[in-house]
């Protein structure tokens, strides 16, 4: 009986004390919740073998830097093991936050750090925290022996959290590397080595999946060589579990190796059941490809039109966003699986924009690409479309910077806009951030008459865009390296999730982006905020405002937010 109530979300205990009491009372039933055998079991996760994550709560990914001055020594060559003109001298040691001033000299600078998955209730109240296996935690029994994953602390686009298609797992991306390794987010992957990349290190990108009991499993990939994977979603609805990922590739010069071109953008992976040491991934396997030439624009650098960040699945369609870089178009995309017309163009968007066709389903295989076109046209044929009504202008003139996205229903789409990242400061505020009109949470509605998505309004109240806030322990005054205040301000929003409420409203939780005088703005402590919006509203409501529900502390950043995975009933096993 308990299993069924728990799995259906009817068991709503959230108090840590209550959970502990429950565990003690039901300890004799512990074996009924044992692992499947195909997933690593987090022995110290969960309460005595019971579910670690409870239904209806939130998970927030938090990356923590260990603030060790010895991580970097002033004057040491960066990136590590660099050669010749690729080398620069470190300007600061490893003490936080001054260490990120090294990014002003080394464009690839970053340091790997531990990832925590914090469970909080809908108001942000802390419940518990699960440390992602990272090599330092093996003595606690996390995962199969040797399995681990870390994040790159200042890489602001990483560690998005997404529920799997059937809600049983949460996924995120990182690196197979030790904690405190330098410049890993721009390293090559072992199977795709670009000799022109100034970072010589080789590190697999990793997809981690975790279930309600706090059990992890990991899948290695050679995708995103030279750059970072940002988000992943597990499609576990069919017999063969598949993973969709979003990210970017390349940190060298032209021409890029074929593997770099193949390893950008949207990828599809087979979810591995093997320990990391037994996995031998091959070349990247792209599942989606787009070129600005589909919109009649002049071709950009090959592989950079798919510099994706946000990722979601809705109604059997994969959606992605692009919001950074000078190439491509900053907008919302979807993968068209309905096929191609007689000219080899996607049926859903022969002119580059469209809406998903009703018969389309989730991708189940990589693109069957034309290898002869890789160096000149990228991955062809192109099978992605701009969602009709969203921007189609070049990123070079972009005023929108889409990141996370969440569908409240088939006709209401919320899109987080990260902001422009411009750190101009005057009169006690970051002026460019404060002046933005699209940064924040955009509400898009579908117009049946025109067949287009239209921007209804942008929610910003309560975000205090451009207004500096205090971080306990942070330096005061200006950063001498940038001449701007250390104190960060909100610049916009990144990853989001939401739920529809019975009263016709939707509540959306979002991770903020920042602007500051830090040497790397991605290293600023940021916030988890929430807002409730009336779904039927098409004009900006005057009374809706964001509230801060959780804040990162000194040496911490928040990255992703998701609902907790549902518990798997014994009848499903």
């Amino acid at each position: 009986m308990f299993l069924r109530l728990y799995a259906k979300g009817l068991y709503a205990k959230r108090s840590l004390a209550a959970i502990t009491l429950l565990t003690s009372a039901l300890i004799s039933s512990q074996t009924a919740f044992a692992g499947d055998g195909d997933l690593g079991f987090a022995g110290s996760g969960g309460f005595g073998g019971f579910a670690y994550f409870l239904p209806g709560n939130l998970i927030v990914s938090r990356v923590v830097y260990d603030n060790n001055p010895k991580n970097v020594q002033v004057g040491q060559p960066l990136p590590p093991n660099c050669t010749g003109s690729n080398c620069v001298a470190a300007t600061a040691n490893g003490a936080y936050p001054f260490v990120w001033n090294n990014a002003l000299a080394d464009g690839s600078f970053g340091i790997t750090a531990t990832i925590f998955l914090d469970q909080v209730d809908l108001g942000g109240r802390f419940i518990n925290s699960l440390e992602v296996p990272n090599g330092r935690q093996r003595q606690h029994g996390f995962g199969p022996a040797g399995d681990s994953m870390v994040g790159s602390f200042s890489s602001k686009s990483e560690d998005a959290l997404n529920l799997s298609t059937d809600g049983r797992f949460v996924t995120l991306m990182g690196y197979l590397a030790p904690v405190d390794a330098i410049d890993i987010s721009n390293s090559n992957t072992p199977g795709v080595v670009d000799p022109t990349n100034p970072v010589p290190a080789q590190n697999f990108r990793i997809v981690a999946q975790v279930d309600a009991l706090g059990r992890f499993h990991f899948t290695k990939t050679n995708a995103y060589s030279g750059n970072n994977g940002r988000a992943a979603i597990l499609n576990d609805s069919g017999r063969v579990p598949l993973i969709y990922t979003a990210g970017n590739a390349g940190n060298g010069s032209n021409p890029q190796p074929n593997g770099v071109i193949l390893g950008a953008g949207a990828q599809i992976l087979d979810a591995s059941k093997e320990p990391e040491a037994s996995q031998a991934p091959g070349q990247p396997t792209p599942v989606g490809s787009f070129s600005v030439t589909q919109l009649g624009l002049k071709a950009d650098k090959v592989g950079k039109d798919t510099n994706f960040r946000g990722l979601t699945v809705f109604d059997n369609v994969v959606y992605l966003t692009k919001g950074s870089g000078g190439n491509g178009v900053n907008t919302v995309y979807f993968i068209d699986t309905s096929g191609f017309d007689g000219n080899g163009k996607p049926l859903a968007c022969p002119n580059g924009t469209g809406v998903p066709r009703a018969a389309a389903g989730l991708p189940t295989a990589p693109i069957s690409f034309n290898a002869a076109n890789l160096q000149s046209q990228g991955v062809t044929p192109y099978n992605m479309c701009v969602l009709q009504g969203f921007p189609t202008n070049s990123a070079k003139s972009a005023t929108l910077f889409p990141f996370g996205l969440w569908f409240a229903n088939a006709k209401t789409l919320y899109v987080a806009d990260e902001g422009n990242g411009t750190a101009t400061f005057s009169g006690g505020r970051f002026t460019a951030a404060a002046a933005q009109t699209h940064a924040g949470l955009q509400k898009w509605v579908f117009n049946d008459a025109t067949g287009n998505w239209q921007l209804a309004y942008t929610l910003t109240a309560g975000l205090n865009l451009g207004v500096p806030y205090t971080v306990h322990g942070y330096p005061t005054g200006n950063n001498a390296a940038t001449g701007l205040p250390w104190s960060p301000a909100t610049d916009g929003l990144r990853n989001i999730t939401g739920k529809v409420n019975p009263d016709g409203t939707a509540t959306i939780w979002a991770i903020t982006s920042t602007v500051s005088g830090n040497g790397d703005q991605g290293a600023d402590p940021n916030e988890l905020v929430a807002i409730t919006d009336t779904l039927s509203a098409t004009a900006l409501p005057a009374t809706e405002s964001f509230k801060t529900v959780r804040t990162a502390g000194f040496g911490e950043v928040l990255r992703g937010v998701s609902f907790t995975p549902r518990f798997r009933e014994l009848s499903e096993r």
Side-chain angles (χ1 to χ4, degrees):
M1 181 63 176
F2 174 76
L3 277 175
R4 294 191 178 278
L5 291 175
Y6 193 99
K8 293 179 181 178
L10 300 178
Y11 186 81
K13 298 285 187 183
R14 291 194 176 98
S15 161
L16 183 59
I19 295 166
T20 305
L21 288 173
L22 175 68
T23 301
S24 300
L26 298 177
I27 195 72
S28 61
S29 302
Q30 181 172 334
T31 54
F33 297 84
D36 295 337
D38 60 343
L39 291 173
F41 180 65
S44 64
F47 298 99
F50 290 96
Y52 197 94
F53 298 117
L54 299 180
N57 288 328
L58 297 173
I59 302 177
V60 179
S61 55
R62 175 172 54 96
V63 186
V64 179
Y65 179 61
D66 67 3
N67 192 22
N68 184 351
K70 295 181 179 179
N71 286 339
V72 184
Q73 299 298 316
V74 174
Q76 79 173 69
L78 296 174
N81 301 312
C82 61
T83 58
S85 60
N86 290 330
C87 298
V88 297
T91 59
N93 68 15
Y96 179 87
F98 307 97
V99 60
W100 311 115
N101 284 337
N102 286 305
L104 302 173
D106 174 11
S108 301
F109 188 75
I111 301 180
T112 56
T114 304
I115 305 169
F116 292 86
L117 301 181
D118 296 337
Q119 181 176 202
V120 300
D121 68 14
L122 301 188
R125 185 168 62 96
F126 178 79
I127 297 172
N128 59 5
S129 187
L130 182 62
E131 186 170 350
V132 176
N134 54 58
R136 291 181 175 180
Q137 302 301 316
R138 292 174 193 164
Q139 67 271 25
H140 297 301
F142 282 110
D147 280 10
S148 64
M149 187 182 84
V150 296
S152 179
F153 181 84
S154 58
S155 294
K156 59 188 179 181
S157 58
E158 295 179 0
D159 301 308
L161 300 179
N162 287 289
L163 279 172
S164 62
T165 54
D166 79 346
R168 292 190 296 113
F169 298 92
V170 166
T171 47
L172 67 158
M173 291 199 73
Y175 307 89
L176 182 55
V179 174
D180 290 335
I182 297 174
D183 289 4
I184 301 302
S185 62
N186 283 117
S187 66
N188 294 309
T189 55
V192 180
V193 177
D194 182 353
T196 69
N197 185 351
V199 181
Q202 299 179 22
N203 301 89
F204 287 109
R205 277 45 173 175
I206 300 289
V207 177
Q209 63 189 67
V210 62
D211 66 4
L213 286 98
R215 301 173 301 180
F216 285 94
H217 205 68
F218 302 89
T219 299
K220 297 194 299 191
T221 177
N222 277 307
Y224 310 123
S225 183
N227 219 292
N228 54 352
R230 280 82 182 261
I233 294 178
L234 178 68
N235 176 5
D236 52 349
S237 302
R239 285 184 170 274
V240 179
L242 301 169
I243 299 170
Y244 310 122
T245 65
N248 192 21
N251 193 43
S253 58
N254 277 333
Q256 301 175 109
N258 284 352
V260 170
I261 298 170
L262 285 174
Q267 300 282 314
I268 187 170
L269 314 173
D270 289 332
S272 178
K273 295 182 179 180
E274 301 295 327
E276 286 176 344
S278 300
Q279 298 176 36
Q283 289 293 289
T285 47
V287 70
S289 182
F290 185 85
S291 169
V292 294
T293 59
Q294 293 172 248
L295 301 170
L297 301 176
K298 183 180 178 181
D300 277 330
K301 183 178 180 180
V302 172
K304 290 299 183 181
D305 290 352
T306 55
N307 177 6
F308 295 138
R309 288 189 164 189
L311 173 68
T312 196
V313 170
F314 178 76
D315 198 18
N316 283 333
V317 179
V318 177
Y319 294 86
L320 300 104
T321 62
K322 180 188 175 300
S324 65
N327 296 307
V329 174
N330 289 357
T331 194
V332 175
Y333 302 83
F334 66 92
I335 297 175
D336 178 25
T337 60
S338 60
F340 302 92
D341 63 18
N343 297 315
K345 297 182 178 181
L347 288 172
C349 60
N351 296 313
T353 67
V355 294
R357 293 164 66 96
L362 286 170
T364 57
I367 298 173
S368 181
F369 63 90
N370 186 339
N373 292 341
L374 279 176
Q375 288 295 326
S376 58
Q377 300 176 41
V379 178
T380 56
Y382 307 123
N383 67 339
M384 295 187 69
C385 314
V386 172
L387 192 58
Q388 195 153 298
F390 279 81
T392 57
N393 57 299
S394 169
K396 295 177 176 63
S397 59
T399 57
L400 274 67
F401 305 91
F403 207 110
L405 63 171
W406 175 72
F407 283 87
N409 53 48
K411 296 183 179 180
T412 311
L413 171 59
Y414 291 91
V415 179
D417 190 293
E418 182 184 21
N420 58 31
T422 303
T424 55
F425 189 82
S426 178
R429 64 177 55 199
F430 290 92
T431 52
Q436 295 176 105
T437 57
H438 293 304
L441 185 64
Q442 298 167 6
K443 181 180 185 178
W444 293 75
V445 295
F446 187 73
N447 187 319
D448 288 308
T450 64
N452 289 337
W453 286 87
Q454 297 175 340
L455 178 60
Y457 49 83
T458 302
L459 294 159
T460 61
L463 290 179
N464 298 317
L465 297 179
V467 179
Y469 55 84
T470 300
V471 177
H472 180 72
Y474 232 46
T476 58
N478 289 354
N479 179 358
T482 63
L484 295 168
W486 279 105
S487 295
T490 298
D491 191 41
L493 302 176
R494 292 185 184 129
N495 291 303
I496 62 174
T497 194
K499 68 184 292 284
V500 175
N501 303 312
D503 63 356
T505 64
T507 302
I508 300 95
W509 291 264
I511 303 294
T512 61
S513 62
T514 60
V515 62
S516 74
N518 197 329
D520 188 333
Q521 295 176 156
D524 288 325
N526 55 345
E527 300 174 333
L528 172 68
V529 296
I531 194 168
T532 297
D533 181 48
T534 301
L535 281 174
S536 61
T538 56
L540 181 64
T543 58
E544 296 179 2
S545 181
F546 284 95
K547 295 182 179 179
T548 300
V549 296
R550 192 153 188 82
T551 59
F554 182 86
E556 300 178 344
V557 288
L558 307 181
R559 292 296 182 227
V561 58
S562 167
F563 277 92
T564 48
R566 71 178 180 87
F567 192 81
R568 186 177 186 180
E569 297 188 56
L570 288 179
S571 59
E572 297 180 74
R573 300 188 176 188

